[in-house]
């Protein structure tokens, strides 16, 4: 099925956007004034799953800012990150390439390769006023060829502070920093700004959702099946909700600021999160709640028929080509590595809800090394595909622990009350399943019907009636990975384990902890009680 509507070229011209190709230094005849390039406001929460925004029907998290962007623009129901961890997910956004195409940047806490330019760097070179507040690309080390610090998302604006509502929420005044950024903008320049909230990243002030957010445990209409449904887990979920709402309040203030300065109509606003919620079986894994993320996009002068819900599969590698095309910039000519993603302007120019573009029917996902905690800083390599309501995962090293080794605290799962509950559940046969789902070893292949099992708890990979479907998904996955040059497809997957971990304080944690050089508190992001020397 083809998407109806005007051609992309005609759409961009009508929207007042120059087409990709010539550099902006090209002289425009006086009779044809240069089109207005759109401003770009990219807003990214830190660790939030897609189901926890009001626009998707969630009643216990209040997100009027996100909901407004969805209502006045497009709400995506199938947006995915290729890699469900902070730094690699953000690397995909900035470069338009899948993580397995980014060398060391496939990993968390990496040394970002000099060779990969970002869309923010290119837009800065092409006349945009570019900056960020909060969390940009992180964590990791990014430097230029001559060793100078490199700001992959733009110039930092971090001066303004506030008194946060809890001791765990950042004291950065994101909205005020955005106002400073706008005040510094030359009048004749469009802007590109990255709002990276630190929320709802761990840690939380326990029970803040109830005590400071006024929430009640029974407001949580469903606890995902991979965790015990008890007071502790529900309180943890409400604390998570309270932090999402803090992120959204700053989004609301930024939208108001743009309206007051008559800038909103020609600003492409994108609101999403880098990976799923920081709970066991989610963040750092490759399941439905790990990679499936919220996405709302608004551009009054550039999106036709606003108020639509779109079911097309959108990948984070699509953002960079969208921003570049909308700005009239050719990324390849500007020195970027070839972009794998596809511009979303084809969705913007459609008037349809539901499925717009027939070929947007699947997305690829995967991971390499996230947090350390295995011998020799080894990762847990996965590749997967989401298509036709199914998630297929291929685990390349099933003998490794997927969330990190038990004796070093399962370091690829942030410490939390819910993690503690799942670890305690291992001690009793009737609750051991909660530990198994989040921390136990896994088979080579996993297959889930995410239409019926969004929690990804029932592995269907051995079902006889699904063998043909599983084989077809694997064949398509591996074929596309080979076309993209994934080293895993050519017997060179070991290179991802060999890239150095850039945090010297916790690198080689397994060996240093076992030798007594580091103690349980050294990791910093898990609880001492997470260390499980008795696990099988």
């Amino acid at each position: 099925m083809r998407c109806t509507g005007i051609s992309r070229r005609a759409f961009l011209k009508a929207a007042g956007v120059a087409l990709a190709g010539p550099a902006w230094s090209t002289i425009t005849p006086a009779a044809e004034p240069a089109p207005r390039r759109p401003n770009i406001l990219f807003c990214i929460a830190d660790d939030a799953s897609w189901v926890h925004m009001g626009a998707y029907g969630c009643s216990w998290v209040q997100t009027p800012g996100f909901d407004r962007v969805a209502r006045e623009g497009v709400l995506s129901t199938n947006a995915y990150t290729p890699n469900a961890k902070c730094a690699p997910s953000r690397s995909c956004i900035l470069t338009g390439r899948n993580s397995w195409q980014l060398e060391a940047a496939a990993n968390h806490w990496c040394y970002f390769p000099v060779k990969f330019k970002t869309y923010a760097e290119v837009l800065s070179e092409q006349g945009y006023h570019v900056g960020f507040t909060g969390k940009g690309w992180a964590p990791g080390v990014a430097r230029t060829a001559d060793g100078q610090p490199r700001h992959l998302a733009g110039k930092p604006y971090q001066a303004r502070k506030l008194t946060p509502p809890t001791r765990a929420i950042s004291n950065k005044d994101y909205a005020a920093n955005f106002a400073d950024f706008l005040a510094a903008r030359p009048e004749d320049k469009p802007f590109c700004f990255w709002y990276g909230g630190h929320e709802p990243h761990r840690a939380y002030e326990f029970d803040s959702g109830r005590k400071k957010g006024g929430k009640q445990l029974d407001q949580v209409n469903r606890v995902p099946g991979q965790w015990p449904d008890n007071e502790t887990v529900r309180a943890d979920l409400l604390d998570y909700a309270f932090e999402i709402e803090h992120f959204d309040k700053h989004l609301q203030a930024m939208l108001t600021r743009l309206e007051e300065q008559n800038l909103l109509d020609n600003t492409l606003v994108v609101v999403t999160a880098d990976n799923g919620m920081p709970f066991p079986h989610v963040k750092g894994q490759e399941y439905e709640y790990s990679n499936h993320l919220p996405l709302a996009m608004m551009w009054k002068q550039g999106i036709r028929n606003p108020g639509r819900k779109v079911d097309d599969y959108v990948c984070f590698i699509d953002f960079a080509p969208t921003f570049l095309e909308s700005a009239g910039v050719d990324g390849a000519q500007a020195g970027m590595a070839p972009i794998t993603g596809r511009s979303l302007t084809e969705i913007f120019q459609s008037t349809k809800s539901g499925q717009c573009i027939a070929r947007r029917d699947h997305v690829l996902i995967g991971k390499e090394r996230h947090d350390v905690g295995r011998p020799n800083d080894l990762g847990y390599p996965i590749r997967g595909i989401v298509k036709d309501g199914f998630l297929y995962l291929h685990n390349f090293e099933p003998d490794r622990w997927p969330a990190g080794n038990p004796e070093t605290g399962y370091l690829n799962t942030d410490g939390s009350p819910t993690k503690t509950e799942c670890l305690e559940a291992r001690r009793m046969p009737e609750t051991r399943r909660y530990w198994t789902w989040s921390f136990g070893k896994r088979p080579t292949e996993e297959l889930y019907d995410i239409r019926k099992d969004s929690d990804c708890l029932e592995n269907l990979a051995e079902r006889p009636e699904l063998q043909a479907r599983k084989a077809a998904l694997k064949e398509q996955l591996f074929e596309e990975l080979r076309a993209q040059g994934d080293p895993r497809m050519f017997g060179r997957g070991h290179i991802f384990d060999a890239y150095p971990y850039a945090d010297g304080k916790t690198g080689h944690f397994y060996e240093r902890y076992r030798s007594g050089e580091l103690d349980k508190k050294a990791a910093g992001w898990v609880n001492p009680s997470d260390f499980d020397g008795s696990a099988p």
Side-chain angles (χ1 to χ4, degrees), residues 237-503:
L237 287 167
L238 294 181
D239 298 345
Y240 159 76
F242 188 54
E243 295 221 353
I244 292 176
E245 292 172 358
H246 180 80
F247 168 85
D248 191 80
K249 286 176 182 177
H250 285 268
L251 168 62
Q252 295 172 55
M254 291 179 187
L255 296 176
T256 298
R257 173 76 59 174
L258 291 174
E259 276 188 312
E260 291 172 349
Q261 297 189 14
N262 295 318
L263 293 170
L264 185 59
D265 287 1
N266 195 36
T267 298
L268 169 56
V269 181
V270 175
V271 191
T272 187
D274 57 355
N275 49 251
M277 58 198 306
F279 283 69
H281 194 260
V282 183
K283 179 184 176 181
Q285 305 306 316
E286 298 298 304
Y287 293 120
E288 172 70 352
Y289 287 163
S290 310
N291 295 70
H292 192 172
L293 297 173
L295 175 61
M297 300 175 287
M298 176 174 71
W299 180 12
K300 292 180 180 292
Q301 293 182 359
I303 292 179
R304 303 181 70 205
N305 191 23
R308 291 180 283 140
K309 282 188 178 180
V310 173
D311 299 330
D312 299 57
Y313 280 83
V314 172
C315 183
F316 275 21
I317 61 175
D318 298 337
F319 292 140
T322 302
F323 299 156
L324 293 169
E325 181 179 9
S326 299
V329 173
D330 187 312
Q333 289 185 6
M336 293 184 72
I339 286 177
T340 306
R342 298 192 299 266
S343 172
L344 299 172
T345 56
E346 60 187 2
I347 293 176
F348 296 171
Q349 67 182 335
S350 172
T351 59
K352 296 178 61 177
S353 298
Q355 186 75 30
C356 262
I357 314 298
R359 67 179 181 276
R360 287 186 174 272
D361 64 350
H362 71 283
V363 67
L364 305 188
I365 63 176
K367 60 175 279 194
E368 286 293 337
R369 183 179 65 223
H370 286 170
D371 289 315
V372 291
R374 301 182 191 88
N376 301 309
D377 285 352
L378 297 178
Y380 192 83
I382 303 175
R383 299 292 184 271
I385 182 171
V386 184
K387 184 177 181 179
D388 296 333
F390 283 85
L391 166 63
Y392 170 79
L393 297 175
H394 191 93
N395 300 311
F396 288 88
E397 299 288 349
D399 289 337
R400 300 178 187 175
W401 291 96
N405 277 44
E407 61 269 33
T408 48
Y410 306 97
L411 292 187
N412 201 41
T413 298
D414 296 344
S416 70
T418 300
K419 180 180 180 180
T420 300
E421 292 290 306
C422 291
L423 291 176
E424 288 294 320
R426 186 175 66 83
R427 306 183 188 282
M428 301 295 292
E430 62 269 26
T431 59
R432 185 180 173 87
R433 64 189 184 277
Y434 297 118
W435 176 88
T436 301
W437 283 324
S438 293
F439 306 110
K441 290 187 177 180
R442 301 167 186 166
T444 299
E445 293 186 299
E446 299 178 74
L447 181 68
Y448 299 97
D449 184 344
I450 55 178
R451 297 164 300 185
K452 302 176 182 177
D453 179 23
S454 60
D455 298 339
C456 297
L457 302 182
E458 185 180 4
N459 183 7
L460 307 176
E462 300 304 317
R463 291 282 184 91
E465 69 273 20
L466 292 174
Q467 293 310 296
R469 181 182 292 273
K470 183 181 75 171
L473 289 171
K474 178 181 178 180
E475 180 180 7
Q476 181 176 357
L477 170 65
F478 279 29
E479 180 181 350
E480 292 191 24
L481 291 173
R482 283 191 292 268
Q484 294 177 14
D486 182 357
R488 283 273 164 208
M489 297 295 102
F490 303 99
R492 295 185 289 108
H494 63 278
I495 65 172
F496 294 111
D497 286 330
Y499 291 123
Y501 190 72
D503 180 13

Side-chain angles (χ1 to χ4, degrees), residues 498-519:
Y499 291 123
Y501 190 72
D503 180 13
K505 294 185 294 184
T506 55
H508 296 288
F509 185 90
Y510 182 90
E511 290 78 14
R512 294 166 70 190
Y513 170 73
R514 301 279 283 180
S515 71
E517 179 187 348
L518 298 178
D519 63 17

Side-chain angles (χ1 to χ4, degrees), residues 48-54 56 58 60-61 63 224 237 240 244 277:
S49 294
W50 77 288
V51 290
H52 299 134
M53 301 286 167
Y56 294 110
C58 184
W60 50 277
V61 188
T63 56
L237 287 167
Y240 159 76
I244 292 176
M277 58 198 306

Side-chain angles (χ1 to χ4, degrees), residues 22-100:
W24 283 101
S25 58
T26 303
I27 298 175
T28 304
E32 299 180 16
R36 291 177 61 207
R37 294 180 288 173
N39 306 307
I40 299 166
L41 174 59
F42 182 73
C43 309
I44 181 167
D46 197 356
D47 304 353
S49 294
W50 77 288
V51 290
H52 299 134
M53 301 286 167
Y56 294 110
C58 184
S59 59
W60 50 277
V61 188
Q62 304 302 311
T63 56
F66 181 90
D67 301 348
R68 178 189 176 183
V69 175
R71 185 174 61 252
E72 299 181 17
V74 169
L75 179 67
S76 172
T77 63
N78 282 311
Y80 286 78
T81 178
N83 192 323
K85 198 73 169 184
C86 301
S89 178
R90 292 160 191 257
S91 296
C92 295
I93 292 168
L94 288 161
T95 63
R97 293 168 66 84
N98 284 308
S99 56
W100 47 87

